[in-house]
Amino acid sequence: MVMLYYEKRVENVIFFSFNNNINIQNQLHNNERYIRQNYQSSNKSYDFAKSMPTMEVIVGYIRKDDSYQNNVKLKPFELNHNNYSPIKGEGDLGRPVNVPFNYKHIISKYWSANQFNLLASDIISVDRNLSDVRSNKCKNIIYDSISSQASVIIIFHNEAWSTLIRTIRSVINRSPRRLIHEIILVDDASDREFLGQTLELFIAELEIMAKLYRMPQRSGLVASRLLGAEKANSEILIFLDSHCECTPGWLEPLLDRINSKKNVVICPVIDVIKDDTFEYSLGLPNTWGGFNWKMQFRWYNSKIRTNKKRLTYDTPTMAGGLFAIRKDYFQAIGTYDDEMTIWGGENLELSFRVWQCGGSIEIHPCSHVGHVFRKNSPYTFPGGVMPNLNRNLARLIEVWLDSYKNFAYFISPDIKIFKYLTNISSRIDLKNKLHCKNFDWYLQNIYPENYFPNNYTYFGKIIQKNTNLCLNAKVGINGLYSQLSLIECHKLKSTNQLFIFKKNGMIMTEEFMCLDSYELQLKNPNIMLEHRIVLRLCDYSKSSEKWTYDYKTNQLKNIWNNLCLTVEKNNFTSLWNLEMKKCSVTRSTQQSWIFSNISWIT
Ligand code: UDP
Ligand code: MN
């Protein structure tokens, strides 16, 4: 149901929450206000959360679970064997498949090659039905003015048979025939046998026109999508990953929005097809895309971005795999940066370009498409993962970040070297030709929730004057496992000790985390209420996340409770505790903080 976060290759955590503006670490201590449920079934959890709208509820979470991860290399005949054998009713309506426990070793064995549970996928029909997950409001809309047809472009590299075919069948089964002109498949040099002639024979039999093109050599998703776009014959292009499932009514809202706005990239809500059970689970409403200091895509939903005048809502960035765009607009805006290879960075590049050059990126809440989110890439990266990704990111940074490129290189110095190894002049020419706005405009106007250094007083370490120790933020994504402590200042280029003190009083750090002070509710009413400092997902509306700094006394005061950040030695552990105490001159040494400004503008 509620996907707040998915981070490829870094951590394997999905966090479910009705009100995600919470910090698990702290909430779990507090059983009175917060209820923790073990994650059982998404629908049950969601109903549970909805039934208590006034409470902040963690409805469940999945801890890092790498139980299926392994390095098993399948033998060629195993890789090439198509074991699709559906069992009637399995996975129907998006229900999870529970493969019996004694198959666990086989699931594990086939996991690495696909990075999902192939056994589960293989017993679900490629024609499985999915529930209509749209809201009633969405279901009642009648789309009768759509005049254009779409070409659906599905690119793939060594995709499993059942997931690829289920993607295609879900398009056919759940789209009005008059709105689909063709399905275009682009094979990015796969070597699995069943993706050869078997696939060609299969698509020839489809009840819809489908064409298959093959890349002469492994090139990556940009080149493959570009080939698909070039071959497409209708006005509208819709790109899908090769492991998606469209739900009823997915197509009309996308086409309808493009009908009324020409320069738009329109994305469906991307729901989660779980990588282990293939359960279809609904995403949290109002989810939108941002990015972190390392230029990695991030999902957020901490602030409602809905627009009263229209159904779609703006998103600063898109995940990249699933979107619709007019073919002529795609061309006018400069398609993709065709020197980006294999995977990564292209979604942010297209997002910045569209916004900065006059278009918009929107999500249509009435269009739902599921996607199998994977924790790792199953395929090889010719030339290595990091060289490909870092070169792509260097191109993105050089072309679109303007003065913020120094910040990006400060955070990720490994990327910088690639700027000398790649030529971006044609993309700069395009940017000039399109008269695009700068990155500062984008941050301020399109991504005001950003936690980049704009409108700020300080960027750097926060040092406790008396102890010479530094505030240290161990940040988990979307608030998971975050910890604030006072430890030795380090010289490492880690972001843990870097904070941005915004002019509006917020003290932000990586992953949209902010310093916040809260009141601990204690069971015993006779004990004085205690105030604490924590890291939380930033929330602009909260005064408890606003701070003032007294230049004379060096005190850091919280606007909500008027208390000062204080260090106190724990006599038992000899560690320094961070506390919120009354601001006072007698505590001046414990309450004195120095901001050491680090310059990233060179
Ligand atoms: N893909 C491709 N060539 C590549 C890498 C990816 O054709 O070199 C395809 C892949 O099969 C998928 C899409 O690009 O359809 C997006 O890749 P992936 O699903 O791995 O990205 P993710 O969704 O995990 O970000
Ligand atoms: Mn994908």
Side-chain angles (χ1 to χ4, degrees):
M1 52 133 232
V2 184
M3 196 200 66
L4 295 181
Y5 145 67
Y6 162 72
E7 162 64 354
K8 187 194 246 313
R9 293 179 202 102
V10 176
E11 227 172 340
N12 166 6
V13 184
I14 302 180
F15 169 44
F16 299 83
S17 149
F18 187 61
N19 177 349
N20 80 326
N21 239 338
I22 41 182
N23 179 319
I24 282 203
Q25 287 277 327
N26 294 294
Q27 312 310 346
L28 289 186
H29 295 166
N30 194 343
N31 294 336
E32 287 188 272
R33 281 175 63 201
Y34 302 101
I35 296 172
R36 177 175 131 194
Q37 275 209 329
N38 287 328
Y39 175 70
Q40 298 267 331
S41 108
S42 57
N43 287 341
K44 193 172 148 205
S45 309
Y46 192 57
D47 290 345
F48 169 76
K50 276 205 306 197
S51 69
M52 288 188 231
T54 55
M55 292 180 81
E56 287 181 272
V57 180
I58 298 163
V59 292
Y61 62 98
I62 304 171
R63 279 189 181 275
K64 193 169 172 75
D65 172 12
D66 279 341
S67 53
Y68 290 120
Q69 296 294 348
N70 59 65
N71 293 318
V72 174
K73 288 249 174 310
L74 293 181
K75 301 197 173 71
F77 78 90
E78 291 168 324
L79 272 174
N80 286 321
H81 189 69
N82 174 14
N83 217 5
Y84 170 60
S85 46
I87 298 176
K88 201 169 180 320
E90 277 295 351
D92 216 23
L93 294 172
R95 282 193 298 269
V97 167
N98 291 312
V99 183
F101 189 74
N102 48 349
Y103 283 93
K104 210 172 166 182
H105 69 284
I106 307 181
I107 298 174
S108 236
K109 179 175 165 185
Y110 281 85
W111 191 275
S112 302
N114 308 285
Q115 289 297 335
F116 54 67
N117 181 353
L118 183 65
L119 262 71
S121 178
D122 278 351
I123 61 172
I124 299 173
S125 164
V126 292
D127 284 300
R128 84 156 154 181
N129 281 324
L130 290 178
S131 315
D132 186 340
V133 292
R134 295 171 297 170
S135 67
N136 284 337
K137 189 175 165 190
C138 290
K139 282 182 196 160
N140 289 333
I141 302 175
I142 295 164
Y143 300 99
D144 49 9
S145 62
I146 300 171
S147 54
S148 353
Q149 286 191 314
S151 297
V152 177
I153 299 166
I154 300 166
I155 61 161
F156 61 93
H157 173 72
N158 280 341
E159 186 64 56
W161 176 267
S162 50
T163 41
L164 174 64
I165 303 305
R166 200 174 299 114
T167 309
I168 299 170
R169 295 295 318 169
S170 79
V171 171
I172 296 173
N173 291 337
R174 286 183 282 275
S175 312
R177 202 57 47 84
R178 68 184 168 91
L179 297 180
I180 298 266
H181 175 66
E182 63 192 344
I183 295 179
I184 291 183
L185 300 172
V186 182
D187 170 16
D188 188 10
S190 304
D191 47 28
R192 293 189 184 173
E193 244 162 51
F194 52 78
L195 297 173
Q197 212 192 1
T198 314
L199 180 63
E200 284 164 27
L201 293 173
F202 178 86
I203 66 164
E205 300 285 307
L206 290 172
E207 54 269 55
I208 217 168
M209 181 164 41
K211 294 173 187 159
L212 171 63
Y213 299 92
R214 302 202 193 260
M215 299 296 290
Q217 64 190 39
R218 175 78 184 284
S219 313
L221 65 91
V222 163
S224 307
R225 287 204 192 119
L226 284 175
L227 178 67
E230 185 194 312
K231 301 289 183 190
N233 283 313
S234 56
E235 265 176 76
I236 295 169
L237 312 176
I238 299 187
F239 294 98
L240 295 179
D241 270 11
S242 42
H243 31 257
C244 289
E245 285 177 72
C246 305
T247 68
W250 76 286
L251 178 63
E252 296 89 330
L254 303 178
L255 298 182
D256 183 61
R257 180 62 184 149
I258 293 188
N259 230 15
S260 55
K261 189 173 194 281
K262 302 270 179 271
N263 55 351
V264 67
V265 171
I266 179 89
C267 310
V269 173
I270 307 178
D271 291 326
V272 181
I273 300 169
K274 292 189 63 200
D275 59 356
D276 51 355
T277 61
F278 277 70
E279 177 183 13
Y280 191 99
S281 20
L282 254 188
L284 195 71
N286 303 310
T287 299
W288 50 273
F291 52 93
N292 69 4
W293 291 353
K294 297 188 192 76
M295 307 310 288
Q296 294 165 321
F297 174 82
R298 283 284 180 272
W299 292 110
Y300 294 110
N301 71 339
S302 53
K303 196 173 170 212
I304 292 175
R305 297 179 64 93
T306 42
N307 185 318
K308 291 207 173 61
K309 293 199 195 106
R310 57 177 151 90
L311 256 177
T312 62
Y313 60 92
D314 293 346
T315 177
T317 68
M318 62 165 166
L322 292 67
F323 64 97
I325 188 168
R326 280 184 71 92
K327 184 170 176 169
D328 55 8
Y329 176 57
F330 189 51
Q331 281 161 344
I333 200 83
T335 63
Y336 271 124
D337 177 348
D338 62 1
E339 287 192 39
M340 287 193 170
T341 50
I342 308 296
W343 180 95
E346 90 298 334
N347 57 332
L348 297 188
E349 197 277 334
L350 184 58
S351 303
F352 298 164
R353 179 152 45 88
V354 165
W355 277 119
Q356 288 178 234
C357 312
S360 66
I361 315 232
E362 300 172 13
I363 293 173
H364 204 308
C366 298
S367 172
H368 284 259
V369 179
H371 170 256
V372 183
F373 283 91
R374 298 182 285 198
K375 284 134 199 157
N376 293 289
S377 266
Y379 37 73
T380 55
F381 277 60
V385 176
M386 290 326 278
N388 273 287
L389 183 60
N390 283 345
R391 191 185 322 102
N392 291 354
L393 291 178
R395 296 185 66 80
L396 161 80
I397 290 167
E398 283 298 308
V399 178
W400 296 106
L401 260 65
D402 304 315
S403 59
Y404 288 87
K405 66 179 154 198
N406 296 321
F407 178 70
Y409 292 140
F410 177 83
I411 297 295
S412 312
D414 290 355
I415 302 178
K416 192 169 181 178
I417 174 164
F418 288 93
K419 91 176 206 188
Y420 305 107
L421 304 174
T422 187
N423 182 348
I424 50 146
S425 56
S426 66
R427 302 307 287 180
I428 295 286
D429 291 346
L430 172 78
K431 185 179 177 183
N432 291 334
K433 192 182 98 192
L434 296 172
H435 303 294
C436 307
K437 297 196 176 74
N438 66 23
F439 199 67
D440 200 49
W441 172 89
Y442 169 85
L443 286 181
Q444 312 245 16
N445 295 281
I446 305 304
Y447 188 17
E449 306 88 341
N450 79 79
Y451 43 101
F452 272 57
N454 64 356
N455 274 326
Y456 71 107
T457 323
Y458 293 109
F459 166 69
K461 292 177 189 284
I462 305 179
I463 303 169
Q464 210 286 324
K465 203 171 162 188
N466 192 35
T467 57
N468 246 332
L469 298 173
C470 273
L471 270 193
N472 192 80
K474 189 172 155 272
V475 291
I477 295 142
N478 268 343
L480 271 179
Y481 314 124
S482 294
Q483 250 169 11
L484 187 70
S485 56
L486 191 69
I487 63 169
E488 223 163 282
C489 301
H490 58 53
K491 293 198 176 66
L492 298 174
K493 275 260 176 173
S494 145
T495 55
N496 287 5
Q497 296 184 353
L498 297 178
F499 295 86
I500 294 169
F501 196 0
K502 291 259 188 174
K503 284 202 173 126
N504 68 3
M506 294 174 88
I507 302 178
M508 303 183 153
T509 187
E510 176 65 315
E511 303 295 356
F512 203 34
M513 299 305 288
C514 279
L515 295 191
D516 192 342
S517 182
Y518 77 105
E519 197 177 55
L520 190 69
Q521 307 269 310
L522 297 172
K523 266 190 181 155
N524 185 342
N526 298 324
I527 302 177
M528 261 205 346
L529 284 181
E530 210 180 299
H531 287 265
R532 297 209 171 161
I533 179 166
V534 284
L535 277 172
R536 271 186 221 267
L537 279 179
C538 302
D539 181 343
Y540 280 75
S541 65
K542 277 177 141 181
S543 60
S544 61
E545 289 187 8
K546 306 255 164 67
W547 302 77
T548 54
Y549 183 62
D550 187 324
Y551 284 83
K552 282 204 198 96
T553 63
N554 304 130
Q555 282 165 317
L556 200 51
K557 193 201 268 184
N558 186 276
I559 289 193
W560 176 66
N561 56 22
N562 266 323
L563 299 176
C564 277
L565 181 57
T566 311
V567 285
E568 198 93 56
K569 189 152 192 162
N570 182 322
N571 290 333
F572 295 108
T573 62
S574 300
L575 294 173
W576 291 96
N577 285 346
L578 290 166
E579 298 182 357
M580 294 303 298
K581 291 271 154 67
K582 213 168 164 206
C583 306
S584 116
V585 275
T586 58
R587 291 203 179 97
S588 62
T589 52
Q590 290 165 277
Q591 293 182 341
S592 142
W593 300 89
I594 304 291
F595 283 79
S596 78
N597 204 13
I598 293 176
S599 172
W600 53 270
I601 306 168
T602 47

